[in-house]
Amino acid sequence: MKFIVSALVAGMGLSGCQTVMPAPTGPHLVLTGVGRFAVFGDLSTRSRSGDQARLRSLQVVESGFEVDGRGFWGGWSWWAFDCAARTADRLDFASVSEGGIEGPAVPDSEPPYPAAPGGDAAELLAIACSGSGNAPTFRTVESAVRAGRQALD
């Protein structure tokens, strides 16, 4: 949580915020887990080469989440996974304020770590490495935020 709040504050302090741009076909957001946050994997960003996979995730915060009086929906992160070793590496975090404005990405310099069963990283690894089956997808960030907040309530 400390990392996320720091990244949100850092993103607010940097200029050059931009609107969240979906992949050319639009996002295909799949709910992967609900705990402290609702986490979605964006299937439109999934790529795989051998045992290596990448995926962008959307982390949704509860309704009313604010930092310095500014409301936030959550944030995006790029992840890299080793499907054979079952490790996860969160590469960055970019806050998303209310209305879908994305802050600049703040790199996450922590090394890859084992994806513990039941954790957010393991749930994202599963769809990055194996696919999502027939899970329902959300085609806009706004619809994912609504669904995520309902799941958090």
Side-chain angles (χ1 to χ4, degrees):
M1 179 67 171
K2 192 184 305 183
F3 170 77
I4 292 166
V5 172
S6 296
L8 288 169
V9 171
M12 287 175 21
L14 298 172
S15 61
C17 291
Q18 59 191 14
T19 303
V20 174
M21 298 302 295
T25 59
H28 292 178
L29 296 160
V30 175
L31 181 64
T32 60
V34 179
R36 187 173 197 167
F37 308 103
V39 178
F40 295 81
D42 184 357
L43 298 177
S44 73
T45 65
R46 181 175 57 184
S47 65
R48 182 151 181 200
S49 178
D51 288 334
Q52 305 304 306
R54 285 178 52 96
L55 179 77
R56 195 173 191 211
S57 71
L58 176 66
Q59 180 176 296
V60 175
V61 296
E62 72 275 1
S63 297
F65 186 94
E66 292 185 358
V67 175
D68 291 335
R70 183 172 170 193
F72 285 87
W73 285 352
W76 286 104
S77 290
W78 275 103
W79 290 79
F81 302 98
D82 184 316
C83 301
R86 311 240 352 120
T87 59
D89 187 5
R90 184 177 184 164
L91 304 174
D92 64 6
F93 181 83
S95 64
V96 179
S97 61
E98 288 183 1
I101 306 301
E102 184 176 333
V106 176
D108 182 333
S109 60
E110 294 297 315
Y113 58 92
D120 292 339
E123 292 166 343
L124 289 167
L125 181 145
I127 67 165
C129 295
S130 303
S132 65
N134 294 323
T137 61
F138 298 90
R139 298 302 303 259
T140 66
V141 173
E142 293 85 359
S143 64
V145 168
R146 279 191 302 275
R149 286 183 167 174
Q150 286 176 342
L152 288 167
D153 288 341

